[in-house]
Amino acid sequence: MNQAASITWKSRWTFILAATGSAVGLGNIWKFPYITGENGGGAFVLVYLACILCIGIPVMIAEIMAGRAGRSNPIHSMLSLSRDAGGSRAWGVVGAVGMVAGLMIMMFYSVVAGWALEYVFQSASGSYSGAPAEEIEAHFGNLLSSDGQQFIWHSLFSLLTASVVAAGVTRGIGKAVEILMPLLLIFLLLLVGYSAINGNFKAGLHFMFDTDFSRLSGNAVLIAMGHAFFTLSLGMGAIMAYGAYFPGHASIGKTVLTIAALDTGIALMAGMAMFPLVFANDLTPGQGPGLMFVTLPIAFSNMSGGVFFGSLFFALVSIAALSSSISLIEPGVAWMEKRGWRRVPSTFLLGGIAWAGGVASIHYGAVFDALDYLTANIMLPIGGLLIALFVSWRLPRKVVLDETGMKGGPAFAAWYWLLRYIAPIGILIVFLHSLGLFSALGALF
Ligand code: TRP
């Protein structure tokens, strides 16, 4: 019996907390609003929601199922499931590439998390309190142009992540998430309320929910789909690794719907907090990665108690980032542990590689952009595609039926159908569409 089998999460609830901790992070609060701004709003949001529903949710169920059935790190889970089903050892590559993708994501994720940490202190020192919007914009610009500053905060965040992973994931995370996630939720609600009163709420909502498909490029569709994977932590085995600790009897379907609903809700709230401020302060929605770091301080700078609320908010964002970043490193560490390494050196080796990559992405903006684009829009969807194909075509239907705990019925049938046909075909269509293949064909006829 392998080690993981003897340690399962205390309950389905603990798993929900850990998986939600992984899913909810900078992807929701930082990335979703800014890519929505860059890609024109409403139509982009709609494609993103459709991808969550038709691709993200089915793939998440598949990942948890594979992790629970394989009871190990993603590489060994894929290997043993494939062996039992008479399949090829090559499926292990899915886990291996996922492990590398996790490190690559960490190489820019920890830089942005470092910005959030810096903002805890910037808020606490009152440096933007009462400042006009232009000055707040300049603050962010200053941080971006200081490699030294970014280096310090990125290193601190990397160290925090490594310490948690080194101590072992099952301890502590559930507890932290249980308290902090509801707090973050309440906070975002308050911010949405603030924006509704003080921002241009109508313009913000129009921007986010008016669907104008003429503004949607093939690349925007790819980004929307890639973000569905990114925000749910799918396609690289993070959720599979957590699935190895999923209690044997619990049903996966309901759990996944809960996680996806929380994750999507938080992203939409973050957008609804920011865009009204964008329009009320004559900022541009498509300003890029600085969106959160410019709009929210404007709110904090004007509200009473803003120094306190601002610091607390950025602390919550940093902790949400931490509960996500540990799941980027964990699959690799679990794999090394299984190969006979000890946890602490494994963590510091993998964390060190990610940290070095982060230093490179601080120095070279192109590295930062390439890592983000390549992982979210290419590697995660391909990983998700392979996991969907593996579970729905390679594993025997009976094994899948037993392992999902869904006991047949319409819910199982719908999921199985989405996973077999809709998710793979959808992913392929989006890839081809982004290459401009359809407009090329259209021009031909
Ligand atoms: N989902 C996290 C976020 O939205 C980021 C993340 C954590 C992630 N683990 C992952 C993304 C694994 C892809 C794969 O911030």
Side-chain angles (χ1 to χ4, degrees):
M1 186 165 112
N2 68 50
Q3 237 185 346
S6 53
I7 326 161
T8 49
W9 301 97
K10 274 204 217 79
S11 62
R12 193 175 72 106
W13 182 236
T14 318
F15 175 84
I16 291 182
L17 290 173
T20 309
S22 168
V24 174
L26 297 171
N28 308 62
I29 303 164
W30 163 73
K31 196 174 179 191
F32 171 75
Y34 105 71
I35 57 177
T36 297
E38 282 186 336
N39 290 289
F44 177 87
V45 174
L46 197 68
V47 174
Y48 154 80
L49 291 174
C51 289
I52 294 276
L53 214 61
C54 301
I55 302 175
I57 289 174
V59 170
M60 193 174 209
I61 296 174
E63 266 203 37
I64 298 175
M65 193 228 98
R68 174 162 78 175
R71 281 270 176 260
S72 189
N73 65 78
I75 299 177
H76 283 102
S77 287
M78 292 295 284
L79 279 176
S80 71
L81 287 175
S82 176
R83 192 190 50 227
D84 293 348
S88 150
R89 281 184 63 83
W91 287 106
V93 174
V94 177
V97 173
M99 194 182 106
V100 175
L103 294 185
M104 287 170 68
I105 294 173
M106 186 63 182
M107 291 175 186
F108 68 90
Y109 204 83
S110 60
V111 174
V112 181
W115 300 345
L117 278 180
E118 201 268 348
Y119 267 66
V120 176
F121 291 87
Q122 203 182 115
S123 309
S125 69
S127 80
Y128 59 65
S129 176
E134 307 84 66
E135 201 181 311
I136 289 172
E137 262 186 302
H139 272 291
F140 183 69
N142 289 342
L143 175 60
L144 275 200
S145 59
S146 165
D147 286 7
Q149 280 274 319
Q150 292 187 76
F151 177 87
I152 292 170
W153 296 107
H154 154 68
S155 302
L156 180 62
F157 184 81
S158 302
L159 200 65
L160 283 172
T161 303
S163 316
V164 178
V165 175
V169 188
T170 45
R171 272 178 266 158
I173 294 177
K175 264 278 150 300
V177 173
E178 191 159 20
I179 300 163
L180 298 165
M181 215 47 76
L183 246 177
L184 183 68
L185 208 90
I186 294 168
F187 233 90
L188 279 169
L189 268 175
L190 283 176
L191 282 172
V192 173
Y194 177 89
S195 284
I197 296 166
N198 300 296
N200 189 343
F201 203 52
K202 229 173 119 193
L205 291 188
H206 275 301
F207 180 78
M208 276 187 73
F209 299 110
D210 283 355
T211 45
D212 175 1
F213 281 97
S214 67
R215 291 163 75 179
L216 203 65
S217 66
N219 194 44
V221 175
L222 181 65
I223 293 174
M225 179 179 76
H227 189 65
F229 282 96
F230 186 88
T231 193
L232 293 176
S233 301
L234 299 177
M236 54 82 50
I239 294 295
M240 202 188 293
Y242 281 8
Y245 309 98
F246 195 83
H249 51 275
S251 143
I252 298 178
K254 260 187 254 146
T255 309
V256 168
L257 290 178
T258 312
I259 298 168
L262 273 171
D263 188 78
T264 310
I266 289 183
L268 292 175
M269 284 194 328
M272 291 195 297
M274 289 176 214
F275 287 114
L277 297 170
V278 166
F279 294 109
N281 292 284
D282 286 324
L283 303 167
T284 26
Q287 63 181 277
L291 186 67
M292 166 178 98
F293 296 98
V294 172
T295 50
L296 296 184
I298 290 177
F300 295 127
S301 83
N302 293 318
M303 72 176 65
S304 59
V307 169
F308 173 73
F309 287 124
S311 326
L312 190 59
F313 176 79
F314 283 108
L316 289 172
V317 171
S318 305
I319 294 164
L322 184 64
S323 67
S324 300
S325 63
I326 48 184
S327 72
L328 291 167
I329 306 281
E330 174 61 23
V333 170
W335 173 73
M336 289 184 71
E337 237 184 343
K338 177 106 181 201
R339 310 268 325 204
W341 284 62
R342 277 177 313 149
R343 178 162 274 267
V344 175
S346 312
T347 306
F348 281 89
L349 178 71
L350 297 183
I353 294 172
W355 171 82
V359 174
S361 59
I362 289 172
H363 279 285
Y364 306 102
V367 172
F368 182 106
D369 294 343
L371 284 168
D372 182 357
Y373 192 89
L374 193 68
T375 51
N377 305 327
I378 315 282
M379 294 175 85
L380 300 181
I382 290 178
L385 172 69
L386 292 173
I387 291 164
L389 293 177
F390 177 74
V391 168
S392 66
W393 291 94
R394 183 68 254 184
L395 295 185
R397 191 171 183 280
K398 191 183 165 315
V399 171
V400 176
L401 193 56
D402 289 347
E403 290 293 345
T404 46
M406 287 205 272
K407 309 189 182 67
F412 177 80
W415 167 69
Y416 204 56
W417 177 75
L418 282 169
L419 199 66
R420 284 195 111 175
Y421 302 104
I422 301 305
I425 295 171
I427 295 168
L428 284 176
I429 289 181
V430 174
F431 273 138
L432 295 177
H433 180 57
S434 74
L435 294 173
L437 207 76
F438 295 122
S439 40
L441 281 178
L444 219 60
F445 293 108

